[in-house]
Amino acid sequence: MDLDQIKQILDLVREHELSEFEIEHEGLRLKVRKDANGAHVATLPAPVSAVIIPPVAAAAVPAATPVAAPGSAAEAQEAAVADMELAVVKSPIVGTFYRSPEPGAASFVEVGSTVKKGQVLCIIEAMKLMNEIDSEHDGEIVNIYVENGQPVQYGERLFAIRTR
Amino acid sequence: MDLDQIKQILDLVREHELSEFEIEHEGLRLKVRKDANGAHVATLPAPVSAVIIPPVAAAAVPAATPVAAPGSAAEAQEAAVADMELAVVKSPIVGTFYRSPEPGAASFVEVGSTVKKGQVLCIIEAMKLMNEIDSEHDGEIVNIYVENGQPVQYGERLFAIRTR
Amino acid sequence: MFKKILIANRGEVALRVIFACRELGIKTVAVYSEADENSLHVRFADEDVCIGPPRSADSYLNVPAVISAAEITGADAIHPGYGFLSESAYLAEVCEACHIRFIGPDPQVIRLMGDKARARRVMRKAGVPILPGSDGPIDNEDRALKLAKDIGYPVIVKATAGGGGRGMRVVRAPAELSHAVKTAQREAEAAFGVADVYIEKYVESPRHIEFQVLGDHHGNVVHLGERECSIQRRHQKLVEESPSVALSEKVRRKMGGIVIDAAKAVQYTNAGTFEFLMDADGRFYFMEANTRLQVEHPVTEMVTGVDIVKEQIRIAAGERLSFKQSEVTFTGHSIECRINAEDPDTFVPSPGVIHVFSVPGGPGVRVETMAHSDCTISPYYDSLIAKIIVHGRDRPEAIARMRRTLEMTVVEGIKTSIPMHLRILNDPDFVAGKLSTSFMERFLKRREASGRLAEAV
Amino acid sequence: MFKKILIANRGEVALRVIFACRELGIKTVAVYSEADENSLHVRFADEDVCIGPPRSADSYLNVPAVISAAEITGADAIHPGYGFLSESAYLAEVCEACHIRFIGPDPQVIRLMGDKARARRVMRKAGVPILPGSDGPIDNEDRALKLAKDIGYPVIVKATAGGGGRGMRVVRAPAELSHAVKTAQREAEAAFGVADVYIEKYVESPRHIEFQVLGDHHGNVVHLGERECSIQRRHQKLVEESPSVALSEKVRRKMGGIVIDAAKAVQYTNAGTFEFLMDADGRFYFMEANTRLQVEHPVTEMVTGVDIVKEQIRIAAGERLSFKQSEVTFTGHSIECRINAEDPDTFVPSPGVIHVFSVPGGPGVRVETMAHSDCTISPYYDSLIAKIIVHGRDRPEAIARMRRTLEMTVVEGIKTSIPMHLRILNDPDFVAGKLSTSFMERFLKRREASGRLAEAV
């Protein structure tokens, strides 16, 4: 998603006179709220569109992911805070995902494992090379998105870590 | 999910007059809210775009034409009233427009002429035939849109008549 | 050469004529109904004239409006496209009277070919094989019964003014004949204003083979080979191709010679098509001649490299044909699919707004369309939204090419016949070239039987 | 035959390869950068793999990512398209090691042709006319001066690893030579990582003529005639055509024979192009060989009817060429315009959202594009948005056809080079076929002089 697409979405929001628009799709989360209250428009000078864009993930760095669908502005703020505690580890390369150093061996991590920055989370095999993927955070593994032995694309989600 | 799909969803939201729409599907989450509060619209002079469409002309029958660009609702109403008194005579056929029965003769009507229903306004020549165009109204010619000898298309405006 | 041509048509064929005019350096005038104000043919013509309300009878079929439009814009010729006024001898006559060149055959030829019974007689005299049948309208039931017995059942009763499948009845036994004649007469009267019907031999599951001819005003006539248009539903062609797998080079030459002789016999000029039925034994029977550009002309253009519309214009301007029969070559194989705005299962028309329209390119793909993203397909006119034509080195390549082109065509907002076309292209009989005018009937029955399973798309 | 081909490219050429694969019944894998997620090549491939961020170096030029994508999808061959990794001997070698077929020549041949000085030597040995010049990199200034004197000024200094006009300097007098060599070396070092440069005779205002060859793995090589690509700006081709007006049938046969011999001498396989300069006297000088599909391959396809991409795939699968040289025929004339997203006056790139995109059809028109209404032209990649190719019975028909096609092409939202192309098509020298690689320089100067008056559109 680039700026143009965001602009187009904002145009749609205006066109359809939406008060709220929220989308989450492949690592991107976009939320738009618009105070289209006639009274405000009349009395206040600025009908400001609020656009909340989470820090866009640079290639393969952890990005915020929401844990709850916010129902109000207050909740949304809470959710945003909650978001910041989750880091998603994405695949920096294309290859095959392995959870253990060799067939039959124990997995590097499980859901619930406590991990430290620099700890190996998995291996991605690319061009016969085994690439170890390290954690960039201290925290707890709360989700593993990919099955052992499954191919992964660039940018595909691998783990969610609740950071501390 | 691409922008087109989002547009289609928003069209559906509008079509079904929804105030809220939320979907979660295969890693996508989309939420839309619309503040369609009728009370606000009714009580406050909301910034509604006023679209005034004059009654569409059935083929070749006189139609109202706006005389002023309405600047406010009040003005628009006035204009609408004014419109109703104006009839536009459109060309029922393709051909060449003549204001007089033969070259050098006096014009059938001039701006300011009083005309009666059934009175000849002009001739349109098509396929060597001279077709007389009659007035369908009693009134006063307030505008002549076409020069003598000029070609006219089907539906092209010929005269404006202030009806009585 | 003409300075300015008025195109008395709409849609893709109006654009097709604009292409030809622009390549020849001729200005164009578009005419349009109120429903077509935003059409591409209006946008790309040099001038345009609104000629009436949406209903065809009041606009595109309105001869005085078309002629007046030509007069007020100073057009020196009219190209009628196909459909609408393209086979109107009356328009051709009015054009003559108004000193506007009608781009098509002379009015007498249009009139002759429009009278199916008369055309049969003339063609038989010119040495064209015709189906045994009555030489003129049936006026007596006893004679009709005797004739049918001589010809042998089944026979077909047809309106002399006919077309499009109306006023036609197949008769398989003497007892049915009288009723069939009366029904056909009633239909003919209703559809064409003329009740006359004639009888001819009915051929079971024939192929529809037609020959394209071009004749100039200097006595030169060439043929551009045949098209096979056997894939029809209710006499509407759905898929056309050239060449036909059923014709050898020898037969093509022979039949080509026959149609050239026939065209010369009636002093045929401009573009025309001679339609034949071909029976299982390879015998040809003349059906009718169409005195206009055909919807399916691109398949012939693809295999011959001849621009038929440009040739029409040159011929109408009095030029000699720019090539001889011996210079006409046939290369590869071409197929056309007529993409209609309709439900691919029920054939119910599907007008509306096309939100997304995209057709892939690649080698050997040609698209004729007035559609584009965010255009409206009007309910007033026929449902053809695009013709997709492919060319390949041979028939299998052409089929593969058409398949991938249809698979990668995107039309969103309305339903189209593309899924049905893909199923036809995947049908074993189609792939094997086992075609006949009853193909679609069998195809649709099989499909019904299979409970609409196995969608090709 | 292959079961599944990974296409290591994007844009129109990725679609072009998908067309060929679908026609051959081969599954496809698209790879894409994050910027291309919504591209048509991703939509129409059977599978797709995101291989990296928008920057080419991290995605489309990322060999490990491409190979891994092939491995995880089980692709048995890789088509590299043009640009990106298409001339990467390294990718070809890794493919060999991974038992994935690289659709292109063997790595040794790619490497040989990539070293311009070595290629010159080998070609000369194979009997191909080359420009007089140094046989290898220049290592000594005195020897360079002596050589330049022997050849005669002007001479040109070129990077051995060169391409795209970088690392090139024309030298018109001995005093300029030393400086030119140093500058070219610096540019070559910066652009290609290799500072080596060589000297050859500089031809003033030559034509750029290139021959298309196809070679199978059974020793068969054919040529598909020439393309003239003299309309270039800063070594970027803008308009290409086939045949060249400057070649007689006799010269075509002779040069075709020479390139076939040269290709056989280096055991060339798959598709390739031998580029020549042609001087005012009709003498040919070998420039370089491109070991890949060319952007402009469609003009050759249009005049020969050969589907070059399908041939590439068949050859890579080990099949024999399906035709002999004697079966290659040349029909009519074809022209291609490369439509770029750029300002037609300043050549500044114009990425952005295309709101409306529509290209007309009609006879002899072919469009290769990844664009459609409401698509985004990304700033990350080159500015080519469409190739419009036309075919006509002769060059004047092709020019008229290209003009009307460009005039009726609608691209709204970004600027395109179409107005510039229309001006080129209307240029008297272009129409007369008076082409040379200095055409654009003169054309742009004239235009500047005329104060940007008389817009063609």
Side-chain angles (χ1 to χ4, degrees):
Chain A
M1 171 145 304
D2 55 22
L3 259 171
D4 267 320
Q5 288 177 292
I6 292 174
K7 272 188 200 156
Q8 284 177 51
I9 284 177
L10 291 182
D11 285 340
L12 284 172
V13 166
R14 176 164 50 198
E15 187 187 329
H16 290 268
E17 305 179 325
L18 305 183
S19 58
E20 194 161 333
F21 178 95
E22 199 167 337
I23 186 166
E24 189 174 346
H25 182 51
E26 299 188 349
L28 168 99
R29 198 177 133 245
L30 175 71
K31 180 177 172 179
V32 174
R33 279 219 301 153
K34 204 164 176 177
D35 214 350
N37 190 319
H40 285 285
V41 176
T43 55
L44 295 167
V48 185
S49 314
V51 183
I52 303 167
I53 304 166
V56 173
V61 308
T65 192
V67 289
S72 73
E75 267 178 49
Q77 279 191 333
E78 277 174 27
V81 172
D83 288 352
M84 298 318 289
E85 295 181 352
L86 262 196
V88 172
V89 180
K90 295 185 178 188
S91 178
I93 54 173
V94 180
T96 307
F97 174 83
Y98 293 111
R99 289 190 51 197
S100 57
E102 55 194 61
S107 294
F108 292 108
V109 293
E110 303 285 350
V111 170
S113 298
T114 301
V115 294
K116 284 191 176 300
K117 203 169 160 180
Q119 183 178 336
V120 175
L121 300 176
C122 65
I123 281 174
I124 295 180
E125 180 192 345
M127 289 182 71
K128 315 288 174 213
L129 285 175
M130 299 298 167
N131 302 279
E132 294 184 342
I133 308 298
D134 300 343
S135 177
E136 300 199 359
H137 300 267
D138 292 342
E140 181 194 341
I141 301 289
V142 292
N143 203 354
I144 303 177
Y145 296 100
V146 185
E147 297 289 317
N148 190 49
Q150 196 179 308
V152 292
Q153 309 203 352
Y154 171 84
E156 195 166 337
R157 296 182 305 180
L158 305 177
F159 301 94
I161 302 177
R162 179 168 298 135
T163 56
R164 278 190 301 245
Chain B
M1 166 138 311
D2 54 21
L3 264 169
D4 268 323
Q5 289 176 288
I6 293 175
K7 274 186 197 161
Q8 284 176 46
I9 286 176
L10 292 182
D11 284 339
L12 285 172
V13 167
R14 176 159 54 196
E15 189 187 327
H16 292 268
E17 305 180 324
L18 307 182
S19 58
E20 195 159 335
F21 176 93
E22 201 165 338
I23 186 170
E24 194 166 344
H25 180 54
E26 297 186 348
L28 168 98
R29 205 179 126 240
L30 176 69
K31 180 178 171 178
V32 173
R33 277 218 304 154
K34 202 162 177 177
D35 212 350
N37 194 324
H40 285 284
V41 178
T43 53
L44 293 166
V48 183
S49 317
V51 181
I52 300 164
I53 305 167
V56 173
V61 306
T65 191
V67 288
S72 72
E75 266 178 48
Q77 276 188 336
E78 274 173 27
V81 173
D83 288 352
M84 296 319 287
E85 295 179 353
L86 266 195
V88 172
V89 181
K90 295 188 178 184
S91 177
I93 53 173
V94 181
T96 306
F97 174 83
Y98 293 111
R99 290 188 52 196
S100 57
E102 55 195 61
S107 295
F108 292 109
V109 293
E110 302 287 349
V111 169
S113 299
T114 301
V115 295
K116 285 190 172 302
K117 203 170 161 178
Q119 183 178 335
V120 176
L121 300 176
C122 65
I123 282 174
I124 294 178
E125 180 193 346
M127 288 180 75
K128 316 288 174 211
L129 285 176
M130 298 298 165
N131 302 278
E132 294 184 341
I133 309 299
D134 300 344
S135 177
E136 299 198 359
H137 300 268
D138 292 342
E140 180 195 341
I141 302 289
V142 292
N143 203 353
I144 303 177
Y145 297 100
V146 186
E147 296 290 317
N148 190 49
Q150 196 180 308
V152 293
Q153 308 203 353
Y154 170 84
E156 193 166 338
R157 296 181 305 177
L158 305 176
F159 301 94
I161 301 176
R162 178 168 299 132
T163 57
R164 277 192 300 244
Chain C
M1 183 46 76
F2 305 118
K3 297 258 180 301
K4 195 188 279 186
I5 291 176
L6 181 140
I7 301 156
N9 217 303
R10 64 182 297 281
E12 64 88 18
V13 73
L15 285 168
R16 174 70 187 86
V17 179
I18 291 177
F19 299 157
C21 290
R22 283 192 178 233
E23 291 182 23
L24 292 170
I26 300 167
K27 297 281 177 201
T28 51
V29 180
V31 296
Y32 64 99
S33 77
E34 287 178 322
D36 284 338
E37 193 182 341
N38 298 315
S39 297
L40 284 186
H41 79 283
V42 178
R43 171 165 181 163
F44 287 116
D46 296 290
E47 294 173 65
D48 51 79
V49 180
C50 180
I51 54 165
R55 228 169 60 94
S56 303
D58 301 326
S59 49
Y60 296 110
L61 289 171
N62 183 342
V63 171
V66 167
I67 294 287
S68 297
E71 288 190 331
I72 67 175
T73 54
D76 45 6
I78 291 179
H79 195 299
Y82 55 72
F84 292 134
L85 296 169
S86 60
E87 292 181 290
S88 164
Y90 172 59
L91 175 63
E93 281 160 359
V94 176
C95 280
E96 253 182 17
C98 296
H99 305 291
I100 296 167
R101 199 69 60 83
F102 177 80
I103 300 175
D106 292 335
Q108 319 71 280
V109 175
I110 299 176
R111 227 177 260 293
L112 164 65
M113 293 306 183
D115 180 338
K116 305 303 172 194
R118 226 179 107 211
R120 261 173 64 89
R121 285 200 299 278
V122 172
M123 285 298 112
R124 190 171 61 178
K125 228 179 114 189
V128 179
I130 61 168
L131 283 168
S134 60
D135 273 345
I138 298 166
D139 46 9
N140 175 304
E141 197 173 318
D142 287 342
R143 252 177 292 177
L145 274 165
K146 182 174 180 311
L147 180 69
K149 196 184 159 203
D150 289 350
I151 296 169
Y153 287 90
V155 298
I156 185 164
V157 181
K158 280 182 172 177
T160 59
R166 286 169 303 180
M168 280 194 192
R169 278 289 175 289
V170 176
V171 181
R172 298 188 181 275
E176 302 163 10
L177 187 65
S178 167
H179 177 68
V181 167
K182 286 191 189 98
T183 316
Q185 283 172 334
R186 236 184 354 259
E187 275 183 33
E189 171 84 55
F192 314 110
V194 182
D196 290 351
V197 298
Y198 62 100
I199 288 180
E200 66 183 21
K201 174 82 188 154
Y202 180 66
V203 182
E204 302 271 6
S205 295
R207 286 173 186 264
H208 173 120
I209 305 283
E210 58 186 34
F211 276 79
Q212 174 73 53
V213 299
L214 286 174
D216 66 19
H217 292 276
H218 308 276
N220 303 303
V221 179
V222 296
H223 77 87
L224 300 180
E226 81 283 4
R227 294 184 286 260
E228 169 145 17
C229 314
S230 299
I231 309 297
Q232 308 180 348
R233 178 178 165 271
R234 299 188 181 166
H235 300 275
Q236 294 296 316
K237 297 165 186 170
L238 302 172
V239 180
E240 300 103 341
E241 57 187 291
S242 183
S244 165
V245 294
L247 264 68
S248 65
E249 181 50 39
K250 194 178 146 198
V251 171
R252 179 170 304 115
R253 237 197 318 264
K254 184 185 149 211
M255 288 305 299
I258 288 174
V259 296
I260 288 175
D261 290 347
K264 284 183 174 168
V266 296
Q267 296 187 288
Y268 199 99
T269 55
N270 218 285
T273 298
F274 287 74
E275 296 190 337
F276 295 88
L277 293 180
M278 181 184 174
D279 70 16
D281 300 323
R283 278 187 297 258
F284 283 82
Y285 304 103
F286 173 78
M287 265 194 302
E288 61 180 45
N290 293 318
T291 55
R292 55 167 163 82
L293 187 68
Q294 301 270 100
V295 177
E296 61 271 24
H297 76 277
V299 296
T300 299
E301 294 184 328
M302 296 291 266
V303 295
T304 62
V306 174
D307 185 322
I308 294 174
V309 180
K310 273 157 77 171
E311 293 300 330
Q312 283 192 293
I313 295 169
R314 289 196 190 104
I315 288 167
E319 290 187 14
R320 284 168 185 278
L321 275 173
S322 60
F323 53 90
K324 294 195 221 59
Q325 187 64 51
S326 59
E327 294 168 291
V328 176
T329 53
F330 304 101
T331 308
H333 197 95
S334 180
I335 302 177
E336 170 178 284
C337 287
R338 296 190 190 188
I339 311 304
N340 291 324
E342 63 187 24
D343 186 299
D345 291 316
T346 63
F347 298 95
V348 171
S350 176
V353 175
I354 295 181
H355 301 297
V356 181
F357 185 84
S358 170
V359 181
V365 177
R366 169 174 168 186
V367 182
E368 302 282 320
T369 184
M370 74 300 197
H372 53 88
S373 288
D374 295 317
C375 77
T376 301
I377 301 303
S378 150
Y380 299 107
Y381 312 107
D382 86 27
S383 60
L384 182 75
I385 57 164
K387 303 186 316 202
I388 296 182
I389 307 109
V390 298
H391 182 262
R393 282 204 283 174
D394 49 30
R395 193 167 185 269
E397 181 169 74
I399 292 175
R401 201 154 267 174
M402 180 63 89
R403 263 193 218 129
R404 68 99 176 146
T405 304
L406 295 183
E407 285 166 358
M408 295 174 71
T409 295
V410 183
V411 184
E412 289 175 14
I414 61 166
K415 291 179 182 173
T416 77
S417 52
I418 288 176
M420 178 203 68
H421 278 110
L422 276 168
R423 289 192 296 265
I424 293 172
L425 291 167
N426 286 316
D427 182 276
D429 281 354
F430 182 85
V431 172
K434 292 184 193 155
L435 311 181
S436 83
T437 55
S438 49
F439 175 94
M440 280 307 290
E441 207 181 319
R442 286 204 315 274
F443 173 83
L444 293 171
K445 266 195 196 131
R446 263 204 310 281
R447 185 158 164 72
E448 219 163 273
S450 74
R452 298 216 169 117
L453 280 170
E455 294 280 330
V457 177
Chain D
M1 183 46 75
F2 305 119
K3 297 258 181 300
K4 195 188 280 186
I5 291 176
L6 180 138
I7 302 156
N9 217 303
R10 63 182 297 281
E12 64 88 17
V13 74
L15 286 168
R16 175 69 188 87
V17 179
I18 291 177
F19 299 156
C21 290
R22 283 190 178 234
E23 290 182 23
L24 292 170
I26 300 167
K27 297 281 179 202
T28 50
V29 179
V31 296
Y32 64 99
S33 78
E34 288 178 320
D36 284 339
E37 191 182 343
N38 298 315
S39 296
L40 284 185
H41 78 284
V42 178
R43 171 165 182 163
F44 286 115
D46 296 291
E47 294 173 64
D48 52 80
V49 179
C50 180
I51 53 165
R55 228 169 60 94
S56 303
D58 301 327
S59 49
Y60 296 110
L61 289 171
N62 182 343
V63 171
V66 167
I67 294 288
S68 296
E71 287 190 330
I72 66 176
T73 54
D76 46 7
I78 291 179
H79 195 300
Y82 55 73
F84 292 134
L85 296 169
S86 60
E87 292 182 290
S88 163
Y90 174 58
L91 175 63
E93 281 162 359
V94 177
C95 280
E96 255 182 15
C98 297
H99 304 292
I100 296 167
R101 200 68 60 84
F102 177 81
I103 300 175
D106 293 335
Q108 318 72 281
V109 175
I110 298 176
R111 227 176 260 292
L112 164 65
M113 292 306 182
D115 179 339
K116 304 305 171 192
R118 225 177 106 212
R120 261 172 63 89
R121 285 201 300 276
V122 173
M123 286 298 112
R124 189 171 62 178
K125 227 177 115 188
V128 179
I130 61 167
L131 283 167
S134 61
D135 274 346
I138 298 166
D139 47 7
N140 174 303
E141 198 174 316
D142 286 343
R143 249 176 294 178
L145 275 166
K146 183 176 179 309
L147 181 67
K149 197 184 158 201
D150 289 350
I151 297 169
Y153 288 89
V155 298
I156 186 165
V157 181
K158 280 182 171 177
T160 58
R166 285 170 302 181
M168 280 194 193
R169 278 289 175 288
V170 177
V171 181
R172 297 187 183 275
E176 303 164 8
L177 188 66
S178 167
H179 178 68
V181 167
K182 287 194 187 95
T183 316
Q185 282 171 334
R186 234 181 358 255
E187 274 182 33
E189 171 84 54
F192 314 110
V194 182
D196 290 351
V197 298
Y198 62 101
I199 289 181
E200 66 184 18
K201 174 82 188 151
Y202 180 67
V203 182
E204 302 271 6
S205 296
R207 287 172 184 264
H208 174 121
I209 305 283
E210 58 186 35
F211 277 79
Q212 175 73 53
V213 300
L214 287 173
D216 66 19
H217 291 276
H218 308 276
N220 303 303
V221 179
V222 296
H223 77 88
L224 301 179
E226 81 284 4
R227 293 184 286 260
E228 168 145 17
C229 315
S230 299
I231 309 296
Q232 310 180 347
R233 179 178 166 271
R234 298 189 182 168
H235 300 274
Q236 295 296 315
K237 297 165 186 169
L238 302 172
V239 180
E240 299 103 341
E241 58 187 292
S242 183
S244 165
V245 294
L247 264 68
S248 66
E249 181 50 40
K250 195 179 145 197
V251 171
R252 179 171 303 113
R253 236 195 320 262
K254 185 187 148 209
M255 288 305 300
I258 288 173
V259 297
I260 288 175
D261 290 347
K264 285 183 174 167
V266 296
Q267 296 186 290
Y268 198 98
T269 56
N270 218 287
T273 299
F274 287 74
E275 295 190 337
F276 295 88
L277 293 180
M278 181 183 173
D279 70 15
D281 300 322
R283 278 187 297 257
F284 283 82
Y285 302 103
F286 173 78
M287 264 194 303
E288 61 180 47
N290 294 319
T291 55
R292 56 168 162 81
L293 187 68
Q294 301 271 100
V295 177
E296 61 270 25
H297 75 277
V299 295
T300 298
E301 294 184 327
M302 296 292 265
V303 294
T304 61
V306 174
D307 185 323
I308 293 174
V309 180
K310 274 158 76 171
E311 293 301 329
Q312 284 192 293
I313 295 169
R314 290 197 190 104
I315 288 167
E319 290 187 14
R320 282 169 187 277
L321 274 174
S322 59
F323 53 89
K324 293 196 220 60
Q325 186 65 51
S326 59
E327 294 169 290
V328 176
T329 53
F330 303 100
T331 308
H333 197 95
S334 180
I335 302 177
E336 170 178 285
C337 286
R338 298 191 188 186
I339 311 303
N340 292 324
E342 64 187 22
D343 186 297
D345 290 315
T346 63
F347 299 96
V348 171
S350 176
V353 175
I354 295 180
H355 300 298
V356 181
F357 185 83
S358 170
V359 181
V365 176
R366 168 174 169 188
V367 181
E368 302 283 321
T369 184
M370 74 300 200
H372 52 87
S373 288
D374 294 317
C375 77
T376 301
I377 301 303
S378 151
Y380 298 108
Y381 312 107
D382 86 27
S383 60
L384 183 75
I385 57 164
K387 303 186 317 202
I388 296 183
I389 306 108
V390 298
H391 182 262
R393 283 204 282 173
D394 49 30
R395 192 168 185 267
E397 181 169 74
I399 292 175
R401 200 155 266 173
M402 181 62 89
R403 265 194 216 127
R404 68 100 176 145
T405 304
L406 295 182
E407 285 165 359
M408 296 173 71
T409 295
V410 183
V411 184
E412 288 174 16
I414 60 165
K415 291 179 183 173
T416 77
S417 52
I418 288 176
M420 180 203 67
H421 278 110
L422 277 168
R423 289 193 296 266
I424 293 173
L425 291 166
N426 287 315
D427 182 275
D429 281 353
F430 182 84
V431 171
K434 291 182 193 156
L435 311 181
S436 83
T437 54
S438 48
F439 175 93
M440 280 307 290
E441 208 181 318
R442 284 204 316 274
F443 174 83
L444 293 170
K445 266 195 197 132
R446 261 204 311 281
R447 185 159 164 71
E448 219 164 273
S450 74
R452 298 216 170 118
L453 280 169
E455 294 280 331
V457 176

